Amino acid sequence: MQLFYHPLYSVLTLPERHRFPIQKYQMLKAEIERLGFGTTQFNTPTKATPEQLALCHSQDYINDFLNATLSNKAIKKMGFPYSRELVERTLLSVGASIQGSEYALKYGFCANLSGGYHHAYSDYGSGFCIFNDLAVAGAHLINTDQADTVLIFDCDVHQGDGTAQITQHNNAIITCSIHCEQNFPRLKQHSDYDFALPANTSDTEYLITLKQALEFCVRIHNPDIILYNAGADIYEKDELGLFNVSLEGVYARDYFIVNYCKAHNIPLMCALGGGYQRNLNALINVHKQLFKAAIDLF
């Protein structure tokens, strides 16, 4: 098992009380090491190139972000103050999902300790998402003839609206989003498959929907690889989520997906996705369930 990580994931100066838990990446890496992952299992990503970003994003938007010419309105919508640190971090995060996807195709499983930036649209960033790493990774695999069909399986509590918009005319990338109907974004896009569950959904209903959705998508589309957004914000104590899924339910979700892909010989690349708790130790424990499941299965 190989993971992609860079220290810059957590090196970003944000205003005091900013909502994004930037330190979680560094803390999660340390916690994963305590689970038994060795230093040789952590790979340093290289930055995504402008050409790779252009597979899913407009050239004007790419140029504005890279050259510090975004409007104040665009920066506000993005959710982060603009900085060169942000540019480096963003390119490394997207690069990690691209390289992690290529690794998963060869060896079966990989994870990026960042990623899952599914609110990024083709021509603007939104909701702490700047470039859509999973859409870019999927488009890269198809563009380089490494895959014919990619399934983006999004289990963040928020709908993958940017992913749906970017891929709406790309029949080779299948999008499936399981999310809270009442949560952000207010205006939803149309994924290929949307499973909008009501607020207060608990373990049983969530896991039944999850299993049916994944089995259906695989049966219909037979993907060459699954790119999985493993959002921790489905957890009942998440401050921006509205589900009542327990910690055991989060583990069951991750275990099912990893085990299903392993049993059916489908390469799987996992991205961290969202998670919002002021108590970072509690948040890390939710994200950690994915890696506990992977250790139990490999």
Side-chain angles (χ1 to χ4, degrees), residues 5 7 27 31 43 51 62 73 102 127 129 138 151 182 186 192 206 211 242 245 250 261 297:
Y5 171 81
M27 294 173 63
E31 192 64 26
N43 296 274
E51 292 74 21
I62 296 168
K73 180 180 179 181
E102 292 181 323
C129 303
L151 171 61
Q182 290 85 4
R186 184 176 63 84
D192 291 303
Y206 184 88
K211 293 173 183 179
L242 299 174
V245 177
V250 175
C261 290
L297 287 163

Coordinates of all heavy atoms in Angstrom, one line a residue, residues 5 7 27 31 43 51 62 73 102 127 129 138 151 182 186 192 206 211 242 245 250 261 297:
Y5 N 1.7 12.1 0.0 CA 1.6 13.1 1.1 C 2.7 14.1 0.8 O 3.8 13.8 0.4 CB 1.7 12.5 2.4 CG 1.9 13.5 3.6 CD1 0.8 14.2 4.1 CD2 3.2 13.9 4.0 CE1 0.9 15.2 5.1 CE2 3.3 14.9 5.0 CZ 2.2 15.5 5.5 OH 2.3 16.4 6.5
P7 N 4.3 17.7 3.0 CA 4.2 18.6 4.2 C 3.4 19.9 3.9 O 2.8 20.5 4.8 CB 5.7 18.9 4.6 CG 6.4 17.7 4.1 CD 5.7 17.3 2.8
M27 N -1.4 16.0 11.1 CA -1.8 15.2 12.2 C -2.2 13.8 11.8 O -1.9 12.8 12.4 CB -2.9 15.9 13.0 CG -2.5 17.2 13.6 SD -3.9 18.1 14.4 CE -4.4 16.9 15.6
E31 N -0.7 10.0 12.7 CA -1.6 9.0 13.3 C -1.5 7.7 12.4 O -1.6 6.6 13.0 CB -3.0 9.5 13.4 CG -4.0 8.7 14.2 CD -3.6 8.6 15.6 OE1 -3.0 9.5 16.2 OE2 -4.0 7.6 16.3
N43 N 4.7 8.6 -0.4 CA 5.4 9.1 -1.6 C 5.2 10.6 -1.7 O 4.1 11.1 -1.4 CB 4.7 8.5 -2.9 CG 5.0 7.0 -2.9 OD1 6.0 6.5 -3.4 ND2 4.1 6.2 -2.4
E51 N -1.0 21.9 -18.2 CA -1.6 21.1 -19.3 C -2.6 20.1 -18.7 O -3.7 19.8 -19.3 CB -0.6 20.4 -20.1 CG 0.3 21.3 -21.0 CD 1.3 22.1 -20.2 OE1 1.6 21.7 -19.0 OE2 1.8 23.1 -20.7
I62 N -7.1 29.0 -15.0 CA -5.7 28.5 -14.6 C -4.7 29.6 -14.6 O -4.0 29.8 -13.6 CB -5.3 27.4 -15.6 CG1 -6.2 26.2 -15.5 CG2 -3.9 27.0 -15.3 CD1 -6.1 25.2 -16.7
K73 N -13.5 38.9 -5.8 CA -14.8 38.1 -5.7 C -14.5 36.6 -5.9 O -15.0 35.7 -5.2 CB -15.7 38.5 -6.8 CG -17.1 37.8 -6.8 CD -18.0 38.3 -7.9 CE -19.3 37.5 -7.9 NZ -20.2 38.0 -9.0
E102 N -2.6 6.6 -11.1 CA -1.7 5.8 -11.9 C -1.2 4.6 -11.1 O -1.1 3.5 -11.6 CB -0.6 6.7 -12.5 CG -1.1 7.7 -13.5 CD 0.0 8.5 -14.1 OE1 1.0 8.9 -13.3 OE2 0.0 8.9 -15.3
G127 N -16.0 26.7 -2.2 CA -16.0 25.8 -1.0 C -14.7 25.2 -0.6 O -14.7 24.0 -0.4
C129 N -12.3 24.5 -2.5 CA -11.8 23.7 -3.6 C -11.4 24.6 -4.8 O -12.2 25.4 -5.2 CB -12.9 22.8 -4.1 SG -13.6 21.7 -2.8
G138 N -9.1 11.7 -13.5 CA -9.8 10.8 -14.4 C -9.6 11.2 -15.8 O -9.4 10.3 -16.7
L151 N -14.9 5.8 -12.8 CA -16.0 6.1 -11.9 C -15.5 7.0 -10.7 O -14.6 6.6 -10.0 CB -16.6 4.8 -11.3 CG -17.6 5.0 -10.2 CD1 -18.9 5.8 -10.7 CD2 -18.1 3.6 -9.6
Q182 N -30.2 18.4 2.1 CA -30.4 19.7 2.7 C -29.1 20.5 2.9 O -29.1 21.6 3.3 CB -31.1 19.6 4.0 CG -32.5 19.2 3.9 CD -32.7 17.7 3.9 OE1 -31.7 16.9 4.0 NE2 -33.9 17.2 3.7
R186 N -26.4 24.8 -2.1 CA -27.9 25.0 -2.2 C -28.4 24.6 -3.5 O -29.5 23.9 -3.6 CB -28.3 26.4 -1.9 CG -29.8 26.7 -1.8 CD -30.0 28.1 -1.4 NE -29.5 29.1 -2.4 CZ -30.2 29.5 -3.5 NH1 -31.4 28.9 -3.7 NH2 -29.7 30.3 -4.3
D192 N -24.1 11.9 -12.9 CA -24.7 10.8 -13.6 C -25.7 10.1 -12.6 O -26.8 9.7 -13.1 CB -23.7 9.8 -14.1 CG -22.9 10.5 -15.2 OD1 -23.5 10.9 -16.2 OD2 -21.6 10.5 -15.1
Y206 N -27.9 4.7 5.4 CA -26.7 5.2 4.6 C -26.0 4.0 3.9 O -25.7 4.0 2.8 CB -25.8 5.9 5.5 CG -24.6 6.5 4.7 CD1 -24.7 7.8 4.1 CD2 -23.4 5.8 4.5 CE1 -23.6 8.3 3.4 CE2 -22.4 6.3 3.8 CZ -22.5 7.5 3.2 OH -21.5 8.0 2.4
K211 N -24.2 0.6 -0.7 CA -23.9 -0.7 -1.3 C -24.7 -0.8 -2.6 O -24.1 -1.2 -3.6 CB -24.3 -1.8 -0.4 CG -23.4 -1.9 0.9 CD -23.9 -2.9 1.9 CE -23.0 -2.9 3.1 NZ -23.5 -3.8 4.2
L242 N -24.9 16.9 8.3 CA -26.2 16.8 8.9 C -26.7 15.4 9.0 O -27.8 15.1 9.3 CB -27.3 17.6 8.1 CG -27.0 19.1 8.0 CD1 -28.0 19.7 7.0 CD2 -27.1 19.8 9.3
V245 N -24.5 9.4 11.1 CA -23.7 8.2 10.8 C -22.6 8.1 11.9 O -21.9 9.1 12.2 CB -23.0 8.2 9.5 CG1 -22.1 7.0 9.3 CG2 -24.1 8.3 8.4
V250 N -18.9 5.0 9.6 CA -17.8 5.5 8.7 C -16.9 4.3 8.4 O -16.5 4.2 7.2 CB -17.1 6.7 9.4 CG1 -15.9 7.1 8.5 CG2 -18.0 7.8 9.6
C261 N -13.8 -3.3 -4.0 CA -12.9 -3.1 -5.1 C -11.8 -4.2 -5.1 O -11.5 -4.7 -6.2 CB -12.2 -1.8 -5.0 SG -13.4 -0.4 -5.3
L297 N -7.6 -5.0 5.4 CA -7.8 -5.8 4.2 C -6.6 -6.1 3.4 O -6.7 -7.0 2.5 CB -8.8 -5.0 3.3 CG -10.3 -4.9 3.8 CD1 -11.1 -3.8 3.1 CD2 -10.9 -6.3 3.5

